[in-house]
Amino acid sequence: MKKLYSALMTAFNDDGSIDEAGIREMVRYNIDVNKVDGLYVGGSTGENFNMNHDQKKRVFEIAIDEAKDQVDLIAQVGSLDLNESKELAKFVTDLGYPKISAVTPFYYNYTFEEIKHYYNEILKGVDNKLLIYSIPALTGVSLSMEQFGELFENPKIIGIKYTNADFYLLERVRNTFPDKLILSGFDEMLLPALALGVDGAIGSTYNLNAKRAKAEMIAFDEGNIEKARQLQKESNDLITALIKNDIYPSLKLVFNEMGVHAGVTKEPMAKPTPEMRAGAEKIYNDYLK
């Protein structure tokens, strides 16, 4: 059975400090209600790149303390500061995270040799397994099949969190590296990703929509493609509504509607407006109630 991971959100207070109780509530909801297979901690959905070093470490501590050994955990440790990435990789490994992940280094148009060095350095001296976090729409970094192959020469690099709309490349990578773990990162394209043989999915909307996504995976595995298509359509209606309402604040607002205290987004992300709150209430009533 393919695995479903929620990309864990980080609850913040209005002043930008971490809301520990809110993070714990979201972990518990994902485990107890959503029945996810795992959590991806410290990724884009967790607002990792809006956090300082100490906040990142505290989120990693809270998530693993609350989840314990109940689900698989992946810690995203990538940073433009390689020393920080290396320190976080050691930190989460010592905490007991069984897998780490790292976004491709971005902004400065790094060469592939620099990217390869970055991943190998993160893993040097760390007894852990790593998933490359490939998200070209945000990083501007598109790795080729040959470049993935070079990175896979490091035996500690076990796969990819593939958040990329290039499904031709996905098919080529999947069939060239059948033993590597590939987790789809675009919630709105779960069904075509399943058709191309991914091992599961990681996504932000699974915090709210895991039951529907898991039902879609089951329908696909059973060969009921029409049911899977209908469930993907329903999920995409939800995703479209979230995007129109400003997705990151809205994910938290809808969680609040569901009785889970998700806090607010951290500036410079937008704080909720009355219009956003009304939109989130409608999203909950229309798609999740």
Side-chain angles (χ1 to χ4, degrees):
M1 179 65 189
K2 295 172 178 61
K3 305 293 185 182
L4 189 74
Y5 295 73
S6 286
L8 185 67
M9 292 186 281
T10 303
F12 293 103
N13 299 306
D14 286 332
D15 63 0
S17 61
I18 287 171
D19 178 353
E20 178 173 335
I23 295 172
R24 291 184 182 275
E25 278 193 49
M26 289 189 285
V27 172
R28 288 261 55 89
Y29 188 91
N30 272 296
I31 294 172
D32 300 335
V33 180
N34 282 337
K35 308 291 186 185
V36 295
D37 300 292
L39 295 170
Y40 189 82
V41 184
S44 306
T45 304
E47 300 173 62
N48 174 280
F49 306 108
N50 283 345
M51 286 193 280
N52 63 43
H53 185 70
D54 290 339
Q55 287 180 319
K56 293 175 186 181
K57 291 173 77 172
R58 187 62 190 134
V59 169
F60 288 134
E61 288 175 328
I62 294 166
I64 197 168
D65 180 67
E66 189 63 44
K68 298 181 171 63
D69 296 322
Q70 297 171 71
V71 292
D72 189 31
L73 294 174
I74 304 171
Q76 197 292 124
V77 300
S79 168
L80 281 181
D81 182 345
L82 179 55
N83 286 329
E84 179 183 46
S85 294
K86 292 167 69 174
E87 182 183 339
L88 289 175
K90 184 179 186 307
F91 180 75
V92 297
T93 300
D94 290 345
L95 284 175
Y97 279 80
K99 297 182 187 69
I100 61 175
S101 181
V103 69
T104 49
F106 53 91
Y107 187 81
Y108 288 108
N109 294 321
Y110 293 100
T111 67
F112 175 68
E113 287 305 312
E114 290 170 330
I115 292 170
K116 185 176 177 181
H117 173 75
Y118 161 89
Y119 282 114
N120 289 336
E121 281 294 307
I122 289 173
L123 287 164
K124 190 180 291 183
V126 175
D127 185 17
N128 212 327
K129 303 180 287 284
L130 181 140
L131 287 167
I132 299 160
Y133 181 12
S134 178
I135 182 165
L138 295 184
T139 63
V141 180
S142 297
L143 297 172
S144 68
M145 187 184 71
E146 291 76 18
Q147 288 171 337
F148 280 121
E150 278 197 51
L151 294 173
F152 289 152
E153 289 173 6
N154 186 328
K156 293 180 181 178
I157 299 180
I158 62 166
I160 312 165
K161 179 182 185 288
Y162 191 90
T163 311
N164 188 345
D166 185 346
F167 274 32
Y168 172 64
L169 177 61
L170 174 58
E171 183 275 329
R172 294 286 81 193
V173 172
R174 170 74 292 167
N175 285 286
T176 304
F177 307 104
D179 297 329
K180 294 299 180 181
L181 180 66
I182 302 179
L183 297 172
S184 173
F186 271 135
D187 308 13
E188 61 270 34
M189 294 190 283
L190 174 59
L191 182 55
L194 292 172
L196 289 174
V198 296
D199 300 293
I202 299 170
S204 55
T205 64
Y206 304 141
N207 285 279
L208 313 176
N209 194 44
K211 292 179 182 178
R212 188 179 281 125
K214 291 192 87 166
E216 181 179 331
M217 286 179 163
I218 292 168
F220 178 83
D221 284 345
E222 292 176 346
N224 192 341
I225 303 304
E226 284 306 310
K227 181 178 180 181
R229 287 177 61 191
Q230 176 61 30
L231 290 166
Q232 185 68 67
K233 184 263 183 193
E234 293 171 11
S235 292
N236 286 358
D237 289 344
L238 166 64
I239 292 166
T240 299
L242 286 166
I243 291 170
K244 286 181 177 178
N245 204 56
D246 197 340
I247 188 164
Y248 287 113
S250 296
L251 285 166
K252 293 182 174 184
L253 289 170
V254 175
F255 234 161
N256 291 331
E257 291 289 331
M258 297 165 72
V260 182
H261 296 97
V264 296
T265 47
K266 190 172 190 285
E267 291 181 339
M269 285 192 179
K271 289 291 190 290
T273 64
E275 292 78 16
M276 280 185 199
R277 293 184 188 279
E281 182 179 3
K282 178 171 171 50
I283 289 168
Y284 171 64
N285 288 324
D286 288 354
Y287 303 108
L288 293 165
K289 198 167 183 180

